[in-house]
Amino acid sequence: MRAFPRVAPEGAGEGRVPSAHAVFAGEVLLAEVHEGEAGGGRVHRLRMRTIGGHEVDVAVAGEELTDTPAPGHWVDGEFFLTGSLGLAAAPDAARKRWWSRRS
């Protein structure tokens, strides 16, 4: 494996503040609703598999979603990146790749 230096055009990123946000879409594998510990209010905790096949945990404020998404639903948006939210592992049935070919 080889590492390549990151090369950016001169002046790129000037005045830009780094952010731990990402825009992605994915299929919901698990969903839980919790009451916020710090400020109260509902928080939806979701385990998603992105279109690229990565499993990520996502926290969504209660006012952003009218209902808790069920496994199999799709969610998209801009999310703040954090570590794991401690959700249980996804069931094996949900781990099937939706893009795989069927013979």
Side-chain angles (χ1 to χ4, degrees):
M1 178 153 59
R2 249 178 103 168
F4 295 95
R6 183 174 172 211
V7 179
E10 189 175 324
E14 287 180 15
R16 184 176 170 273
V17 177
S19 174
H21 288 81
V23 176
F24 56 86
E27 178 184 9
V28 175
L29 303 176
L30 296 167
E32 300 175 353
V33 178
H34 290 273
E35 291 298 320
E37 295 174 9
R42 292 174 10 139
V43 175
H44 301 272
R45 291 178 13 174
L46 311 174
R47 160 96 21 99
M48 296 171 48
R49 180 177 296 117
T50 66
I51 293 172
H54 301 283
E55 286 191 15
V56 294
D57 293 346
V58 174
V60 182
E63 59 271 6
E64 297 292 325
L65 296 172
T66 54
D67 294 315
T68 302
H73 288 178
W74 283 79
V75 175
D76 66 88
E78 180 178 354
F79 302 98
F80 181 76
L81 302 175
T82 65
S84 173
L85 294 176
L87 296 171
D92 287 339
R95 290 185 169 271
K96 290 183 181 177
R97 295 181 181 211
W98 59 270
W99 64 86
S100 63
R101 292 185 181 181
R102 297 178 190 220
S103 305

